[in-house]
């Protein structure tokens, strides 16, 4: 902090008073004697030499220092509002559990297995067994495709045939799907006319087959063959 000083000299009562005032508000006085003319005199004859006593020095009262104003504390900023993150959207619910196959659907599914074994025998492959566990997975996919109006081996959520079979503890090796004919014979002929589907049916390494058919859905019929070992 810079300090500014002001000085003044005043002669009172034979003394020189020097005042010093600083920016801090203090005032100090320092005395210095000075000789006054006629302070002492000598007279000739009988008159003694007298000295005029120096007057008693009465210093000026020192003014009290000015009070320092109490500093005003700076304003305290209000805390920033807490912005809560938007909650994560809930994941889409999984498809509802499909209903069981009707008696008609089960009979048509079994007929597809018989017809597939006939085609396999023509090329020297052994028969596949009609596996109820594979059939349940195949039927569930047929229902899901019909109810949600899509046609694909992979669901809209990205679930593959291997995922569906694995969730049921099965080892799937191939899948055929169709939505072309309301009869077992008609869907077998459609699959045999497509090289990829034909190869699945006539793969001699396959030993199990489950067939799902959904006849009463909004976009039926849907057919699914799921092969395993």
């Amino acid at each position: 902090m810079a300090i500014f000083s002001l000085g003044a000299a005043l002669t009172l009562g034979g003394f020189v008073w020097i005042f010093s005032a600083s920016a801090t508000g203090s005032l100090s006085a320092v005395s210095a004697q000075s000789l006054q003319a006629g302070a002492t005199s000598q007279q000739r004859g009988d008159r003694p030499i007298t000295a005029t006593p120096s007057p008693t020095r009465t210093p000026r009262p020192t003014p009290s220092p000015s009070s320092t104003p109490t500093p005003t504390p700076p304003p305290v900023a209000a805390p920033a509002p807490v912005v809560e993150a938007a909650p994560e959207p809930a994941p889409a619910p999984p498809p509802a559990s499909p209903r069981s196959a009707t008696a008609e659907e089960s009979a048509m599914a079994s007929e597809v297995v018989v017809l597939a074994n006939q085609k396999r025998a023509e090329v020297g492959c052994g028969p596949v067994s009609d596996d109820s566990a594979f059939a349940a997975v195949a039927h569930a996919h047929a229902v899901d495709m019909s109810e949600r109006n899509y046609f694909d081996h992979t669901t809209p959520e990205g679930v593959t045939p291997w995922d569906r079979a694995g969730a049921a503890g099965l080892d799937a090796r191939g899948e055929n799907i169709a939505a072309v004919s309301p009869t077992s014979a008609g869907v077998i002929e459609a699959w045999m006319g497509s090289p990829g589907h034909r190869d699945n049916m006539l793969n001699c390494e396959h030993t199990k087959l489950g067939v799902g058919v959904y006849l009463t859905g909004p976009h039926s019929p849907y057919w699914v063959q799921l092969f395993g070992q």
Side-chain angles (χ1 to χ4, degrees), residues 22 47 63 73 76 83 106-107 113 118 148-150 156 169 180 182 186 188 195 198 201 208:
S22 68
R47 299 181 64 181
V76 179
V83 180
S106 295
V113 176
Q118 291 176 0
R148 298 204 288 165
N149 193 23
Y150 72 94
V180 293
I188 286 290
R198 175 187 170 92
M201 265 201 296
K208 297 179 180 180

Side-chain angles (χ1 to χ4, degrees), residues 105 108-109 138-152 176-182 187 191 211-225:
E105 290 167 345
M108 294 178 70
H139 179 75
H141 188 48
V143 172
D144 188 51
M145 287 191 294
S146 178
E147 294 292 339
R148 298 204 288 165
N149 193 23
Y150 72 94
F151 184 71
D152 203 311
N176 288 341
I177 59 176
V180 293
S181 173
V187 73
W191 279 329
V211 177
V213 55
Y214 188 43
L215 299 175
T216 58
H219 303 284
S220 295
Y222 274 81
W223 303 80
V224 178
Q225 282 181 321

Side-chain angles (χ1 to χ4, degrees), residues 5-219:
S5 298
L6 298 175
L10 176 65
T11 302
L12 287 176
F15 294 86
V16 177
W17 294 86
I18 301 173
F19 298 93
S20 175
S22 68
T24 60
S26 63
L27 182 64
S28 61
V30 180
S31 64
Q33 288 187 348
S34 65
L35 293 176
Q36 291 184 349
T40 59
S41 64
Q42 290 182 347
Q43 297 179 351
R44 297 184 182 275
D46 298 332
R47 299 181 64 181
I49 298 174
T50 60
T52 303
S54 297
T56 303
R57 182 174 56 180
T58 306
R60 281 189 175 183
T62 302
S64 60
S66 59
S67 60
T68 302
T70 303
T72 302
V76 179
V82 177
V83 180
E84 296 184 359
E88 292 285 339
S97 299
R99 64 160 180 79
S100 300
T102 64
E104 181 183 9
E105 290 167 345
S106 295
M108 294 178 70
S110 294
E111 187 177 359
V112 167
V113 176
V114 171
L115 294 174
N117 278 332
Q118 291 176 0
K119 299 296 183 182
R120 288 169 64 85
E122 292 174 1
V123 296
C125 291
V128 291
S129 62
D130 189 350
D131 191 283
S132 60
F134 278 84
V137 175
H139 179 75
H141 188 48
V143 172
D144 188 51
M145 287 191 294
S146 178
E147 294 292 339
R148 298 204 288 165
N149 193 23
Y150 72 94
F151 184 71
D152 203 311
H153 294 286
T154 302
T155 70
E157 295 78 25
V159 181
T160 68
W162 331 124
D163 297 328
R164 292 189 293 273
L170 305 176
D171 181 18
R173 296 305 178 98
E175 182 183 73
N176 288 341
I177 59 176
V180 293
S181 173
T183 66
S184 301
V187 73
I188 286 290
E189 292 305 318
W191 279 329
M192 287 295 292
S194 169
H197 299 86
R198 175 187 170 92
D199 289 345
N200 270 340
M201 265 201 296
L202 304 183
N203 187 331
C204 294
E205 293 182 359
H206 295 162
T207 60
K208 297 179 180 180
L209 173 60
V211 177
V213 55
Y214 188 43
L215 299 175
T216 58
H219 303 284

